[in-house]
Amino acid sequence: MKIAVVGATGLVGGEILKVLEERNFPVSELIPVASERSVGKQIEFKGKPYTVVSFDDAIAAKPAIAIFSAGGGTSLELAPKFAEAGIFVVDNSSAWRMDPTKKLVVPEINADTLTADDKIIANPNCSTIQMVVALKPLHDRYKAKRVVVSTYQSVTGTGKAAVDQLFAERKGDKDTKKVYPHPIDLNVLPHIDSFLDNGYTKEEMKMINETKKIMGDDSIKVTATTVRIPTIGGHSESVNIEFENDFDLTEVVELLSNAEGVIVQDDPKNYVYPMPLTAHGRDEVFVGRIRRDETQPNTLNMWIVADNLRKGAATNAVQIAEYLMKNKLVETAEPVA
């Protein structure tokens, strides 16, 4: 299958290339795409060099699927042009997520809603993805009424410049370009994306609105506080869920253990619980610290960790592409010799 990766020179773009290779996605021809200033640069895929091409050249090459990770403005402008050419677009930005005409997909939850007509498919926010993967099997069994989530998010979610700022500060370099309004090393910023009139940030509202859309249930009440911390391995979340129905903790663990894409790490007596350090480079969502909230009925606490560049972005997008191919929603190229 001919695949384009739009934003191939960025952090997530590089991760998409890695995931395509690791999952042995049948790429017959790779088309790396980036902005004009990166056209002509070389990237490597499966040990071979590929030359970065322009958006127009990528459309002319007619890939079957284009995985976008190039920012919302680029997606709004270019995704429709790719779609008009008959190319499936899996978009990592927030541009199309809340568009009622576009599907917002986490494959473990709602890939079965996709059809051959869904030419632009939205990849959810990284923090939303890992939470709903763990929430869905519990919602199906006990019906979630209210979710309170506080996140502890890696600087990799902001991009390479943020990682550079963290390590420059760690070395005492005060002249590096600042991505955040305050130092990030040895600090915590209760601020991800811009603030809105209601006092929440865009990131918090993404989690609130996207959760309802993915789960297909507007009755779930969600409130979020999203926080940036000086880590690079992945995002962590403290999640408190109030259900309509009571639950048995043993059954909760069993449901999570059997859920697609979830690994339970819950043995606190032996210091076993999810951490960014151990989630780094993995595609699964890790869940631990599973315990009853003793302050009110039918309420559960969980700690959820996932690599935000993998399941939170690249892996989820590649899984969508895999679903399109497996279910013959997209035409495959001739077999590779």
Side-chain angles (χ1 to χ4, degrees):
M1 182 177 290
K2 194 184 289 189
I3 297 288
V5 176
V6 181
T9 57
L11 262 186
V12 176
E15 207 66 31
I16 290 167
L17 295 171
K18 193 187 299 183
V19 172
L20 286 168
E21 181 171 350
E22 288 177 7
R23 294 175 74 90
N24 204 26
F25 191 93
V27 179
S28 59
E29 183 181 340
L30 177 73
I31 304 164
V33 192
S35 61
E36 286 299 326
R37 68 179 179 273
S38 294
V39 170
K41 287 184 179 179
Q42 298 276 301
I43 60 102
E44 190 176 288
F45 178 68
K46 290 191 173 181
K48 296 179 182 177
Y50 288 83
T51 301
V52 174
V53 303
S54 69
F55 302 120
D56 289 340
D57 287 346
I59 294 172
K62 289 287 180 75
I65 300 172
I67 302 178
F68 271 55
S69 186
T74 300
S75 293
L76 284 171
E77 179 189 352
L78 295 173
K81 294 180 180 179
F82 277 74
E84 285 164 14
I87 302 162
F88 279 89
V89 171
V90 182
D91 181 47
N92 264 303
S93 80
S94 61
W96 304 100
R97 290 176 188 160
M98 297 312 299
D99 184 324
T101 68
K102 305 293 184 288
K103 304 284 174 60
L104 184 62
V105 175
V106 176
E108 294 90 340
I109 297 174
N110 62 344
D112 59 355
T113 63
L114 290 172
T115 70
D117 294 327
D118 292 310
K119 285 295 188 282
I120 298 177
I121 303 163
N123 213 39
N125 175 270
C126 47
S127 301
T128 308
I129 289 174
Q130 67 186 70
M131 184 173 77
V132 297
V133 166
L135 179 62
K136 183 63 163 62
L138 304 181
H139 176 62
D140 288 346
R141 177 70 177 86
Y142 309 114
K143 187 153 178 56
K145 287 174 59 179
R146 182 170 186 259
V147 178
V148 181
V149 53
S150 297
T151 72
Y152 306 75
Q153 296 182 221
S154 163
V155 293
T156 55
T158 311
K160 183 179 181 298
V163 178
D164 291 343
Q165 179 181 337
L166 170 62
F167 284 104
E169 289 173 355
R170 192 153 292 183
K171 289 188 293 188
D173 178 1
K174 297 180 180 178
D175 296 325
T176 189
K177 180 186 174 186
K178 297 289 190 295
V179 177
Y180 301 119
H182 304 283
I184 185 63
D185 190 33
L186 299 177
N187 201 14
V188 167
L189 306 181
H191 168 198
I192 297 179
D193 212 325
S194 55
F195 284 99
L196 303 171
D197 290 342
N198 64 355
Y200 286 76
T201 65
K202 279 187 178 179
E203 182 82 358
E204 289 158 355
M205 294 310 298
K206 286 174 192 174
M207 293 196 74
I208 292 165
N209 295 322
E210 291 177 21
T211 297
K212 296 178 181 184
K213 183 173 179 178
I214 296 163
M215 304 284 279
D217 191 340
D218 285 337
S219 72
I220 304 173
K221 296 177 181 177
V222 182
T223 187
T225 301
T226 57
V227 179
R228 189 72 68 191
I229 65 171
T231 56
I232 61 167
H235 292 348
S236 305
E237 298 171 347
S238 171
V239 183
N240 178 275
I241 313 159
E242 180 186 357
F243 296 103
E244 282 193 8
N245 304 299
D246 199 7
F247 54 84
D248 175 77
L249 274 179
T250 302
E251 185 182 47
V252 167
V253 171
E254 184 180 345
L255 287 167
L256 290 168
S257 299
N258 293 329
E260 183 184 355
V262 173
I263 292 180
V264 173
Q265 295 179 328
D266 192 39
D267 184 10
K269 289 181 181 177
N270 290 303
Y271 312 115
V272 175
Y273 33 68
M275 298 181 293
L277 197 64
T278 48
H280 184 54
R282 301 284 299 271
D283 290 330
E284 301 88 355
V285 173
F286 298 89
V287 184
R289 298 299 317 279
I290 302 165
R291 63 206 187 277
R292 189 177 288 275
D293 179 344
E294 297 180 346
T295 66
Q296 64 175 13
N298 307 346
T299 305
L300 182 76
N301 284 309
M302 297 193 301
W303 176 252
I304 302 171
V305 179
D307 186 324
N308 55 296
L309 295 183
R310 303 274 305 195
K311 182 54 183 170
T315 301
N316 200 76
V318 172
Q319 285 175 317
I320 293 171
E322 289 171 342
Y323 183 91
L324 294 173
M325 184 182 66
K326 181 181 177 183
N327 291 274
K328 297 182 171 54
L329 299 178
V330 61
E331 292 183 19
T332 56
E334 295 80 12
V336 182

